[in-house]
Amino acid sequence: MNAIISASELTSELAGPTPPVLLDVRWQLQGPPLRSAYAEAHIPGAVFVDLDSELAGPAGSGGRHPLPDLAVFGAAMRTAGVSADRAVVVYDGGQNWAAARAWWLLRWTGHPSVRVLDGGLGAWSGPLDAEIPHPAPGSFEPVPGAIPLLDADGAAELARSGLLLDARAGERYRGEVEPIDRVGGHIPGAVSAPTAENVADDGRFRSAEALAARFKSLGASDSSTVGVYCGSGVSGAHEVLALAVAGIPAALYVGSWSEWSADDSRPVATGPDPQ
């Protein structure tokens, strides 16, 4: 199954006999929820999902966006009409970090057919709607573990034994700036791989071939185990999505730097080199 879908493909599928469930996950870092923007205009039939309250648990020792309570997540998905036997398409305002977080959670909890709208809402040229849909409840029951997940210890081990990618901006990886977390730098052994370099200027993903070449140049190989982290498990999900487009399975460290750096007993590396 392809992990992304183009706007033209989505238009065709929405007109078909079994249209996918549409989730609108517009979100902004350190900003209020974008439910009001959704209410003003969204792709017809899309249901709003709030990242902070439904795709993440409360911030704390597990990071700024830890895993959500599965009962809360499952209820939100069923309210949106999600069932395991019906395809799901997720989009956000264009960056696709939030959409990727929803994609990852649905895949991790066992949904077999989830795709992200490539380029997000900005790529959509079809009609928009202000009508709030009320779909029939779905039947999706999340069962975690369908794709790999890392904790802090697992991320540290993978940085030594495999390939751990840091999806944040390079200056945060190097420790030159840290606008959010307690300290700058990176997990020792992690390789810098900014999420922004996975997409073209229009916000769409680079080709599968270009992404595969990028990740190969960073150390991914047929025999390597790959993991990803970011600041709080949101942009890292976008990197896992990019890896999926390239045909490379990868684990996500959800707690990411916000969890790692909060514990001063964990080592921190700075500078451009992994170690």
Side-chain angles (χ1 to χ4, degrees), residues 189-247:
V191 174
S192 181
T195 293
E197 296 179 19
N198 295 324
V199 297
D201 292 341
D202 62 2
R204 292 177 174 87
F205 280 100
R206 300 188 186 279
S207 69
E209 295 76 17
L211 289 170
R214 181 196 184 208
F215 293 123
K216 182 178 180 180
S217 73
L218 294 170
S221 67
D222 292 340
S223 61
S224 60
T225 302
V226 180
V228 181
Y229 75 97
C230 58
S232 65
V234 178
S235 68
H238 187 279
E239 187 121 298
V240 173
L241 176 60
L243 283 153
V245 172

Side-chain angles (χ1 to χ4, degrees), residues 137-224:
S139 59
F140 181 67
E141 294 289 346
V143 179
I147 57 176
L149 170 71
L150 293 172
D151 60 11
D153 290 341
E157 172 58 31
L158 188 57
R160 296 188 294 266
S161 63
L163 177 63
L164 182 65
L165 299 175
D166 185 315
R168 298 172 300 156
E171 59 268 24
R172 292 183 70 189
Y173 170 89
R174 295 188 295 271
E176 297 165 359
V177 299
E178 181 42 65
I180 304 173
D181 293 312
R182 184 183 67 84
V183 63
H186 57 270
I187 297 174
V191 174
S192 181
T195 293
E197 296 179 19
N198 295 324
V199 297
D201 292 341
D202 62 2
R204 292 177 174 87
F205 280 100
R206 300 188 186 279
S207 69
E209 295 76 17
L211 289 170
R214 181 196 184 208
F215 293 123
K216 182 178 180 180
S217 73
L218 294 170
S221 67
D222 292 340
S223 61
S224 60

Side-chain angles (χ1 to χ4, degrees), residues 3 13 38 50 62 78 88 97 107 117 134 140 145 153 155-156 162 164 179 182 190 192 201 208 224 228 267:
E13 292 196 14
Y38 160 83
D50 181 63
R78 290 189 294 274
V88 177
W97 290 7
R107 295 290 295 118
L117 175 59
H134 298 284
F140 181 67
D153 290 341
L164 182 65
R182 184 183 67 84
S192 181
D201 292 341
S224 60
V228 181

Side-chain angles (χ1 to χ4, degrees), residues 36-56:
S36 59
Y38 160 83
E40 291 175 3
H42 51 264
I43 298 176
V47 176
F48 183 78
V49 176
D50 181 63
L51 186 148
D52 289 315
S53 65
E54 296 173 323
L55 304 181

Side-chain angles (χ1 to χ4, degrees), residues 49-78:
V49 176
D50 181 63
L51 186 148
D52 289 315
S53 65
E54 296 173 323
L55 304 181
S61 60
R64 285 191 307 280
H65 292 105
L67 290 171
D69 181 289
L70 287 182
V72 173
F73 172 66
M77 294 300 98
R78 290 189 294 274

